[in-house]
């Protein structure tokens, strides 16, 4: 057989770690603090049922739904993005600057198609979202990590790495970052946009968690401060509507959008119509506001439970992030505890049976960086299971420290 | 701004020709024989309405539909592919060899991710489907055309070009080819699969029209003759179910499928759930058989009308393909008539107002090849409009010949 292309062999091994967890996650006894999926209770099942019934029966929109659609996406849904999602954040986007895509992840793919040549450098947060790294590596980009603190990417380190590596792109998840739960501060947002403009670097802002903020003050997207069109904003409907609908959007300047049109056409013609119609109606009928309130209340309670449980049961010397939104927190255990080894025991031992994601895989640097860290999700787990899971996990960690 | 990647500038100009037609196609007076969309009457609107109602209300499958789904696709729909679509054609596929994708086009994209390095050669039919060429060029492949006759790709020319260009892949649309409507003969199918195995070349078989055959004997896919796993079969639900649902599938060996799993994960996680559930139910409830019969009857009548009209109104010396299925035919006018120039007049002159697709853009060779050819679609146009369109177009061509 012909050899696979180089991009396939450089795909991040780390992504496989997450995938391997999927098997164990089907065990009903396991308390999974590993996945990143929204809570089943946070899915608007009843609204979707009603909308589908209406759209297909009363409004008879079947022919429109089943025929070819628009490359840019359903105009109604693009309008939702402009008026309901970006407008209230103080962003005046034009309808022509919005494209509906097949889940948030497709943005990384399309933007790479536009800009990335083999060998190009992309600066990413350290730690960062492994599936994006996997895409970047598929395009044979070199990913270099930039250090973070509790205010997100450290700009001194960013500047240093720009000087050394001359990146084509900076990839940032500014709000309730995956995996760390951290949020980029206001000053750094402003400065990051300016760095993109000054140094002629694309800023790819991936912001799927921003709309599920349940405490702390709202922060504007990096894109708000972009005066030159260097920042491209990607977002997803997975966390605020439904992940199974595979819907996301890109907000970019007209010049970039014209090329994105070509790339999207070539990739898959357009995003499926039916999920777009349903999602647009979900907003148009005013269902989003109360739904949003409901999921924020749900996740806030889980975050509070999680943080309290970690403080109660994890050993002294543990550092944890307090996320003001999103679905997970990030824990650094005292040095010497290897979370990759810990995970195996935590999943395998019948009196523990708790899953999380080990930290190492989120660092492109490798070399054991983050080997005492872990991403712990609380989004899809009821509070009493969160407490029980953290109690068991804390017990195992305490045992390891003896 | 940073420069766009090379792949974006090598994108086929030809694809833009088709896109530019989209504007004119909204004129209700225009008879469009240009598009490749199925007939509105061929969309199973009522069945989909009923299924959606049932799935969401009686079966309460909302939570499954809205949550994350499987990378490989909905098991029910993969079973439909194995049992309802491939089984009856004599193909014994394993469930693990089938992946559901986001429209047929995504197959070209995913397979290129697996195999294509910049500079690799892909042999394509001459003429061929421009959107696939656009994808191949996005991966910086070099596309080389192989001559065709009425039995499809000419294997002598294929062998010659293999020897000269050492291709990584051969791209073939064996049944009712886009744009020519031609079908690869049985002997050539067998031989093509053997060439892939012998010369260690991937055969990418793109077969979206095969299931709408309305005359002539059924032919097995090239993949049927593949003994080594070199052939990858791609197909689409766009022509037999609904294009707006963006559903297709890939049938490939286990080794290739494992890599496709990685590529699909990185590209967009999985295909949207709702269209998959609806499409699977469409087959499971036995709606496909009568629907298939109905659309075949519909398209057969249009094909017959189209062929008769061309024979009546086009000038002597015209050559046309008689397609046993699919949505279009291919016409070569007498030398000296340039169809690109003709198209502009045909669309622009108020007493004509007929659109088709000029032939030139379908040839990767360029240099004026196919400049007297045209793709004429009959799929989405009622018979009386087909007759009227061809009468007007024939008149214009006769005028040009004076």
């Amino acid at each position: 057989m012909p050899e696979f292309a180089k991009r396939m062999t450089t795909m991040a091994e780390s992504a496989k770690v997450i995938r391997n967890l999927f098997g164990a996650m089907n065990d009903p006894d396991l308390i999974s603090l590993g996945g990143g999926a929204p809570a089943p209770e946070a899915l608007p099942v009843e609204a979707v049922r009603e909308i589908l019934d209406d759209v297909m029966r009363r409004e008879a929109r079947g022919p429109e739904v089943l025929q070819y659609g628009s490359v840019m996406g359903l105009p109604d849904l693009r309008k939702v993005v402009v008026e309901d999602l970006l407008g209230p954040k103080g962003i005046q986007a034009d309808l022509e600057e919005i494209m509906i895509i097949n889940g948030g992840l497709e943005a990384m793919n399309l933007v790479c198609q536009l800009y990335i040549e083999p060998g190009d450098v992309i600066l990413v947060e350290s730690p960062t979202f492994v599936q994006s790294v996997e895409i970047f590596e598929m395009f044979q980009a070199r990913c270099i990590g930039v250090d973070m603190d509790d205010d997100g990417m450290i700009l001194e380190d960013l500047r240093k790495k720009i000087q050394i590596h001359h990146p084509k792109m900076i990839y940032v998840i500014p709000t309730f970052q995956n995996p760390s739960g951290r949020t980029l501060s206001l000053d750094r947002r402003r400065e990051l946009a300016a760095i993109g403009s000054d140094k002629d670097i694309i800023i790819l802002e991936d912001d799927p968690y921003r709309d599920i903020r349940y405490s702390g003050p709202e922060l504007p997207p990096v894109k708000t401060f972009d005066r030159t069109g260097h920042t491209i904003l990607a977002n997803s409907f997975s966390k605020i509507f439904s992940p199974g609908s595979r819907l996301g959007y890109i907000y970019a300047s007209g010049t970039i959008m014209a090329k994105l049109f070509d790339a999207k056409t070539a990739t898959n013609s357009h995003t499926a119509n039916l999920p777009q119609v349903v999602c647009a109606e979900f907003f148009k009928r005013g269902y989003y506001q109360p739904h949003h309130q409901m999921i924020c209340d749900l996740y806030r309670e889980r975050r509070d439970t999680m943080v309290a449980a970690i403080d109660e049961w994890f050993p002294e010397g543990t550092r944890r992030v307090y996320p003001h939104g999103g679905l997970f927190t990030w824990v650094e255990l005292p040095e010497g505890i290897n979370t990759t080894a810990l995970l195996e025991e935590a999943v395998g031992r019948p009196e523990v049976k708790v899953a999380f994601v080990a930290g190492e895989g989120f660092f492109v640097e490798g070399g054991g960086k983050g080997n005492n860290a872990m991403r712990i999700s609380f989004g899809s787990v009821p509070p009493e299971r969160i407490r029980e899971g953290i109690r068991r996990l804390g017990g195992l960690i305490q045992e390891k420290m003896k």
Side-chain angles (χ1 to χ4, degrees), chain A:
Chain A
M1 291 293 298
E3 265 182 46
F4 291 113
K6 265 199 242 65
R7 71 178 75 82
M8 295 308 295
T9 53
T10 54
M11 264 197 173
E13 280 299 311
S14 48
K16 284 167 197 153
V17 176
I18 289 200
R19 269 180 235 148
N20 291 342
L21 272 176
F22 282 168
M25 275 161 61
N26 289 331
D27 180 344
D29 286 343
L30 184 93
I31 299 179
S32 177
L33 309 174
E41 309 89 297
L43 299 172
V45 174
E46 189 44 38
V48 168
R49 194 200 56 65
E50 182 207 296
I51 289 167
L52 277 170
D53 187 48
D54 240 38
V55 162
M56 298 300 289
R57 191 191 305 263
R58 202 167 52 81
E59 301 178 9
R61 288 172 68 185
E64 167 203 341
V65 162
L66 295 179
Q67 193 50 280
Y68 277 114
S70 148
V71 175
M72 294 292 286
L74 189 78
D76 272 2
L77 190 54
R78 292 161 63 210
K79 216 169 139 216
V80 161
V81 172
V82 170
E83 295 178 4
D84 297 84
L85 294 173
L86 298 180
K89 313 291 176 196
I91 299 180
Q92 304 299 323
D94 194 276
L95 212 60
E96 299 312 307
E97 297 171 319
I98 307 295
M99 171 183 278
I100 303 297
I101 53 173
N102 200 38
L105 207 57
E106 195 174 76
M108 309 336 137
N109 211 290
L110 293 173
V111 171
C112 282
Q113 286 189 24
L114 256 62
Y115 285 108
I116 301 304
E117 306 277 10
D120 278 350
V121 168
I122 302 176
L123 297 182
V124 303
E125 291 154 313
S126 179
T128 190
F129 180 44
V130 279
Q131 272 196 281
S132 292
V133 169
E134 197 168 17
I135 294 175
F136 301 153
E137 293 188 342
M138 208 171 60
F139 281 87
Q140 293 167 262
R142 255 189 337 128
C143 292
I144 308 275
V146 176
D147 291 338
M148 296 180 89
D149 60 21
D150 279 351
D151 284 335
M153 210 178 238
I154 298 173
L155 298 188
E156 291 66 47
D157 195 49
L158 177 68
R159 286 208 188 79
K160 201 180 79 189
K161 278 164 182 162
I162 289 173
Q163 208 156 20
I164 302 173
H165 298 290
H166 308 286
K168 177 74 72 73
M169 192 155 90
I170 300 167
Y171 173 67
V172 61
I173 308 166
T175 322
F176 322 132
Q177 197 240 14
N178 187 353
S180 75
R182 291 168 184 143
T183 293
L184 193 68
S185 68
L186 180 63
D187 285 355
R188 289 189 190 176
R189 285 169 187 245
R190 191 179 285 119
E191 220 172 316
L192 181 59
I195 288 173
S197 304
D198 293 350
K199 305 283 184 191
D200 200 24
I201 300 168
I202 295 294
I203 311 285
L204 177 51
E205 178 180 23
D206 182 16
D207 214 8
Y209 306 101
R210 70 158 295 119
D211 294 308
I212 36 173
R213 171 184 284 280
Y214 32 78
S215 63
E218 191 88 46
L219 290 174
V222 177
K223 178 73 180 156
T224 326
F225 305 109
D226 172 27
R227 300 279 165 268
T228 56
H230 282 80
T231 300
I232 300 174
L233 175 61
N235 211 327
S236 163
F237 288 96
S238 292
K239 309 304 183 285
I240 58 173
F241 174 63
S242 142
S245 302
R246 307 310 302 132
L247 293 172
Y249 63 87
I250 302 178
Y251 166 36
S253 75
T255 331
I256 293 177
M257 203 39 90
K259 288 284 176 189
L260 283 172
F261 183 99
D262 290 348
K264 175 70 177 168
T265 305
T267 302
N268 49 40
S269 298
H270 67 82
T271 301
N273 293 334
L274 189 53
Q276 291 191 79
V277 167
V278 175
C279 185
E281 287 296 318
F282 180 70
F283 281 84
K284 281 168 71 183
R285 293 171 183 221
Y287 292 163
Y288 174 64
Q289 307 291 357
H291 176 76
H292 181 250
Q293 188 62 53
M294 183 271 281
I295 62 175
C296 282
D297 291 347
L298 182 90
Y299 292 134
R300 187 187 308 105
E301 185 192 4
R302 292 179 181 192
R303 186 265 326 260
D304 291 345
T305 307
M306 172 65 82
V307 166
I310 289 172
D311 291 350
E312 184 173 347
W313 281 303
F314 274 31
E316 214 171 315
T318 295
R319 294 199 48 184
R320 55 117 184 100
V321 169
Y322 182 89
H324 283 287
L327 305 174
F328 21 70
T329 185
W330 179 254
V331 168
E332 285 165 16
L333 296 176
E335 295 288 336
I337 299 202
N338 182 301
T339 49
T340 305
L342 186 76
L343 175 60
E344 212 165 307
E345 279 196 65
V347 170
R349 275 169 56 171
E351 80 281 14
V352 186
K353 280 214 175 173
V354 175
F356 55 87
V357 185
E360 241 178 319
F362 295 105
F363 292 83
V364 295
E365 298 88 338
K369 200 167 176 188
N371 67 9
N372 64 326
M374 58 214 289
R375 188 189 80 176
I376 314 190
S377 305
F378 48 81
S380 58
V381 189
E384 63 283 6
R385 297 272 285 172
I386 291 176
R387 281 188 61 82
E388 176 61 19
I390 293 297
R391 193 187 60 74
R392 292 192 213 158
L393 194 55
L396 179 67
I397 297 166
Q398 301 277 9
E399 182 193 313
K400 294 284 131 195
M401 292 191 62
K402 276 173 195 155

